[in-house]
Amino acid sequence: MKQKSESQLFNEKIEFLENQLHALNKKINTPKKIEWWKKNIPLTICLIALVSSLIFNVAILRKSHFKKGSDFKAEKIKEVENLTLAILDVFEAGEYLLPKPSMDILGTYNNYRREIYVKKIIRAMAQIDHKFSTNIYGIVGKQLESEGQFAEAIKYFGLARENARNPISRALAFRELGNIYGLFDTKIYNYDSSNYYWKQSLITSDSIIGDKKYYFKGYAYFLRGQRSYLQGYHDNAIALMDSAIIEFEKMSDYNPWKWESLDRVDGFLEITE
């Protein structure tokens, strides 16, 4: 026999108490019984006390249940935050492994850890009604994308876009949606959707202040150029890379991102020659 959940038991207890209150109130307010109540004052006082007690018990139950629910929600929010930090630690550890092919086993181990953490995050998110940081949704989406769960990844990139509170977060969310819809050999490939979100990423980037604006726009052109080249549109890819260079060159000469970005474009162009 399936056991009832704590929430079901709580609701049943509330319903039982409220039914008792309804029954007692009905007896007290029945006109035909008024004379009887006057003749039985002690019993009337006992019934009034019982009604008051029931009202008090219902109020206490609701208050304690609400407090417990609030504590549970706070606990789950903290769990998601801690798991997100753990994922970022794994990403950081993975960067040290990149130049060491002999340590592929550790890379696999870190991938597995990320997968476990993301599953726990998804489970915790499903248990409460709460709007999380757009960055958390983005991290979950990227992990799901790496696992080939594209439809689920789109769902979380969509949540990242809906909950974005600044131009950078919105531009990132639009960029991820544009990239995932642009995955050529997949069921979710949709050129129109990919192009739409890519353009939205560029438009949103215009609201970013300083060198970050040029970096975001340049990187959007760079990623689009890579995708176009892989799909066989070589001339279009070169034109997009030229646009990326124009944006990157607008950055301050003192910004290391400028030279790293330009080197990345040069490296790509050398491969395509």
Side-chain angles (χ1 to χ4, degrees):
M1 184 177 178
K2 187 177 180 181
Q3 291 185 341
K4 295 180 179 179
S5 67
E6 185 178 343
S7 179
Q8 287 175 317
L9 292 172
F10 169 79
N11 289 331
E12 287 180 3
K13 192 167 185 179
I14 290 293
E15 185 179 359
F16 172 74
L17 290 173
E18 288 178 338
N19 287 337
Q20 285 188 304
L21 282 173
H22 179 72
L24 287 171
N25 281 324
K26 188 175 180 182
K27 286 183 179 181
I28 290 172
N29 294 317
T30 302
K32 294 180 181 179
K33 301 292 184 178
I34 292 175
E35 293 299 323
W36 186 89
W37 294 116
K38 288 181 179 178
K39 294 177 183 179
N40 297 273
I41 292 175
L43 180 58
T44 302
I45 293 172
C46 289
L47 286 172
I48 292 172
L50 178 59
V51 170
S52 300
S53 176
L54 287 171
I55 292 172
F56 179 76
N57 285 332
V58 169
I60 290 296
L61 273 172
R62 289 191 184 281
K63 184 176 180 181
S64 63
H65 186 70
F66 175 77
K67 185 176 186 303
K68 188 173 183 180
S70 299
D71 291 343
F72 178 78
K73 183 175 181 178
E75 178 186 325
K76 288 300 169 183
I77 292 172
K78 190 66 177 177
E79 180 183 347
V80 169
E81 291 173 349
N82 289 337
L83 286 166
T84 304
L85 291 173
I87 290 174
L88 294 176
D89 287 341
V90 174
F91 276 122
E92 186 177 349
E95 290 181 4
Y96 293 110
L97 296 177
L98 288 178
K100 303 176 182 178
S102 61
M103 300 184 73
D104 283 346
I105 185 66
L106 290 179
T108 302
Y109 169 69
N110 281 336
N111 289 337
Y112 184 60
R113 286 170 63 198
R114 285 201 305 270
E115 183 179 344
I116 291 174
Y117 292 153
V118 165
K119 285 180 178 177
K120 287 183 177 180
I121 287 176
I122 292 172
R123 186 164 59 245
M125 283 179 169
Q127 292 177 296
I128 57 174
D129 180 19
H130 182 73
K131 292 183 178 180
F132 289 91
S133 162
T134 187
N135 295 322
I136 294 177
Y137 291 125
I139 289 170
V140 172
K142 288 300 289 183
Q143 180 61 32
L144 291 170
E145 180 184 350
S146 72
E147 296 172 17
Q149 299 184 52
F150 302 123
E152 282 297 298
I154 288 171
K155 169 187 169 183
Y156 283 94
F157 289 143
L159 287 169
R161 182 197 64 182
E162 291 170 14
N163 291 281
R165 295 292 178 267
N166 57 69
I168 290 178
S169 295
R170 278 192 291 275
L172 278 170
F174 281 128
R175 189 172 76 194
E176 294 300 345
L177 284 165
N179 288 339
I180 196 167
Y181 276 116
L183 294 175
F184 194 60
D185 294 323
T186 65
K187 292 181 179 179
I188 50 92
Y189 173 73
N190 186 308
Y191 175 80
D192 290 336
S193 293
S194 178
N195 197 47
Y196 168 78
Y197 287 119
W198 173 67
K199 286 181 178 179
Q200 288 301 310
S201 178
L202 283 175
I203 293 169
T204 305
S205 296
D206 280 328
S207 299
I208 299 172
I209 298 172
D211 277 1
K212 286 184 178 180
K213 172 170 69 175
Y214 307 125
Y215 175 78
F216 268 76
K217 293 186 72 172
Y219 196 54
Y221 281 118
F222 175 78
L223 290 176
R224 195 70 172 177
Q226 279 187 321
R227 188 64 48 82
S228 292
Y229 186 82
L230 291 173
Q231 293 173 356
Y233 304 114
H234 295 173
D235 291 341
N236 188 47
I238 299 302
L240 287 165
M241 288 297 169
D242 287 340
S243 295
I245 291 172
I246 291 172
E247 295 299 331
F248 289 143
E249 286 184 339
K250 293 177 183 177
M251 297 168 68
S252 167
D253 289 344
Y254 299 102
N255 192 333
W257 287 5
K258 174 177 183 175
W259 308 113
E260 290 176 10
S261 301
L262 289 171
D263 285 345
R264 186 183 294 120
V265 175
D266 287 342
F268 176 82
L269 292 175
E270 287 177 8
I271 294 172
T272 59
E273 288 178 355

